[in-house]
Amino acid sequence: MTNRSMTDGSTTKRSTRAPATGRRSPRALLTALLGCVLPLVSALLLAVAPPASAATLTEVTSFGSNPSNLRMHLYVPDSAGARPAVLVAVHYCTGSGPAFYSGTEFASLADRYGFIVVYPSATRSGNCFDVSSPQALKRDGGSDPVGIRSMVSYVQQRYGSDPGRVYVTGASSGAMMTNVLLGNYPDVFKAGAAFMGVPHSCFATTDGSGWNSACANGTVDRTPQQWGDLVRAAYPGYSGARPRMQVWHGTEDATLRYPNFNEEIDQWTDVLGVSRTPASTDSPQSGWTRTRYGNSGAQAPVEAISVQGVGHTLPTAGMASRAIAFFGLDSTTPTDPDPGTDPTPGSCRVGYAVSAWNTGLTATITLTNTGSTPLTGWSLAFTLPAGQTITSGWGANYSPGSGAVTATGLAYNSTVAPGATVQIGFQATHSGNTGKPAAFTVGGSACSTG
């Protein structure tokens, strides 16, 4: 499942031998003059020209839990400001993070719009991502999705990125991983764009094989609810907002065949609770058919683009910018593509008490609903000070154990009535810093403290 391009070039040599004479030709005199003048001109241009971009692709070698030993490359553009958005860009089989960086337009779009790009690299045979094992298909089950989630947490801790603006995209194996990540971590990712993928759990196997021929050939046909149930089973009990989805597929794809395109639509319209009947259909470019589900806006719950006569070669030029627009990242001003689903600002208050000793501490957290409507399926987000790592907890599920943490209520306390309070807490190790998180949010809305 590769996605490569190749260019050819040729060079014509031209003779530079001087005329056979003792006198210097006019061309030789001009060359000598330029040899004196050009260094001075170059020096002047360097003095007045703006500095070149300092942003480079860098490898991060220690970023948290990484059960399958993925590699992480990171691109932080010079234009990244305070609380930047994050895009995880996942490569195809036989590829790598650096190859996806150089072979797609996401880094140049990051330069323009100021978001950070994470490029994971698979390390197993064939450099395909694990989208088939039982461990990969459930939240925090192990394997590649856990490592990618850790990469996001690292960026949030290291660069103060916006936890409410995290997105994922990928091609082929990376598109399949996009589907998996949206199902496993709906509280982490706001939206995804899958180029030539298959639905979450379509590639599932139980024999240790990483390849599912029936799914690849497009012969796995389930009802929308059956597909939706597979996503919901990846994170049982989750009742919060679900990420939006954009899917792309070429009609002549012979690797992950075209019927998977419609199965993805079935899955995500069911997960997001919108009609399978398109709200709009258009052709934004020759050969493209775009359908939108749930509404006809640029950031509809589900958007699908079918590309006529094209095989397993996406994304091609211009498609990355369409994905960025679907995410709402084509602006330097943050947007909320899903208004109305978060709690009312100021509808929560958090109390936080720490009892510390030597290299350990206990934190007790009190969450109060100060609004007029219940907090249902709540998730409390906060960033632990550097050096603190959660070892155990109560009253909530905590993920990950360090950095940008999300505490999600359990079945018995997942709904907090107006005026009611729930108490949760955890035990952690520390390396000297026993401080408190600077801020707390529920569903992306800030809570008061005290």
Side-chain angles (χ1 to χ4, degrees):
M1 292 180 278
T2 60
N3 185 18
R4 301 176 178 172
S5 62
M6 186 177 298
T7 57
D8 297 323
S10 61
T11 303
T12 302
K13 293 186 177 180
R14 180 177 296 172
S15 173
T16 57
R17 185 175 59 185
T21 175
R23 300 175 59 188
R24 301 183 73 178
S25 69
R27 180 175 180 178
L29 289 171
L30 178 59
T31 300
L33 178 61
L34 290 174
C36 296
V37 174
L38 286 178
L40 177 59
V41 173
S42 297
L44 290 172
L45 288 174
L46 287 173
V48 299
S53 171
T56 58
L57 187 70
T58 59
E59 182 165 12
V60 179
T61 56
S62 181
F63 51 83
S65 178
N66 184 22
S68 53
N69 297 314
L70 300 180
R71 295 176 65 189
M72 173 185 178
H73 285 82
L74 187 64
Y75 185 72
V76 182
D78 297 338
S79 55
R83 291 175 64 79
V86 176
L87 174 65
V88 178
V90 194
H91 67 75
Y92 43 85
C93 281
T94 76
S96 67
F100 209 52
Y101 161 78
S102 60
T104 60
E105 300 169 303
F106 294 111
S108 62
L109 291 164
D111 287 331
R112 185 182 308 173
Y113 298 119
F115 55 86
I116 293 174
V117 190
V118 175
Y119 294 95
S121 289
T123 54
R124 59 178 40 85
S125 177
N127 287 3
C128 297
F129 288 94
D130 179 11
V131 294
S132 58
S133 74
Q135 293 78 19
L137 297 175
K138 63 180 180 180
R139 180 185 181 86
D140 296 338
S143 196
D144 295 348
V146 172
I148 295 174
R149 172 67 178 93
S150 294
M151 296 178 194
V152 173
S153 296
Y154 171 88
V155 174
Q156 290 173 342
Q157 180 179 10
R158 176 67 177 80
Y159 295 95
S161 59
D162 186 347
R165 293 193 299 148
V166 181
Y167 306 89
V168 59
T169 188
S172 193
S173 179
M176 293 192 280
M177 178 55 72
T178 296
N179 279 268
V180 168
L181 289 170
L182 294 192
N184 291 12
Y185 296 103
D187 54 332
V188 173
F189 295 97
K190 196 73 170 180
F195 294 90
M196 313 173 301
V198 304
H200 187 294
S201 295
C202 182
F203 238 63
T205 59
T206 56
D207 59 1
S209 169
W211 186 261
N212 186 318
S213 295
C215 178
N217 290 330
T219 60
V220 178
D221 183 9
R222 295 187 171 100
T223 67
Q225 181 167 343
Q226 287 172 331
W227 283 124
D229 287 344
L230 289 170
V231 169
R232 288 182 283 271
Y235 186 4
Y238 178 74
S239 59
R242 294 281 180 174
R244 298 177 300 113
M245 181 54 130
Q246 182 188 65
V247 295
W248 298 72
H249 226 103
T251 60
E252 302 304 313
D253 193 324
T255 303
L256 297 174
R257 294 188 179 273
Y258 184 68
N260 284 300
F261 175 68
N262 289 308
E263 300 302 307
E264 285 180 289
I265 296 171
D266 283 349
Q267 183 169 72
W268 293 104
T269 51
D270 181 80
V271 168
L272 288 158
V274 298
S275 172
R276 184 63 173 73
T277 301
S280 67
T281 302
D282 64 356
S283 182
Q285 189 167 311
S286 177
W288 295 11
T289 300
R290 177 173 63 189
T291 48
R292 287 170 169 164
Y293 304 85
N295 65 56
S296 59
Q299 294 170 10
V302 178
E303 181 174 275
I305 301 95
S306 172
V307 188
Q308 183 65 37
V310 173
H312 201 69
T313 58
L314 307 182
T316 57
M319 292 182 178
S321 63
R322 298 277 184 172
I324 295 306
F326 177 74
F327 296 153
L329 291 178
D330 56 341
S331 168
T332 55
T333 302
T335 61
D336 182 359
D338 190 18
T341 62
D342 297 334
T344 303
S347 64
C348 52
R349 182 176 67 250
V350 172
Y352 193 94
V354 175
S355 176
W357 65 91
N358 294 336
T359 59
L361 62 84
T362 298
T364 301
I365 305 172
T366 303
L367 171 64
T368 302
N369 181 359
T370 59
S372 58
T373 58
L375 291 177
T376 302
W378 59 267
S379 292
L380 178 69
F382 54 91
T383 299
L384 286 176
Q388 294 185 17
T389 301
I390 296 173
T391 57
S392 63
W394 59 91
N397 289 319
Y398 299 86
S399 179
S402 61
V405 176
T406 299
T408 305
L410 303 178
Y412 75 91
N413 65 0
S414 61
T415 298
V416 186
T421 295
V422 295
Q423 190 172 82
I424 62 175
F426 59 84
Q427 187 168 317
T429 58
H430 67 84
S431 57
N433 184 351
T434 61
K436 304 176 181 181
F440 301 85
T441 61
V442 170
S445 295
C447 299
S448 60
T449 58

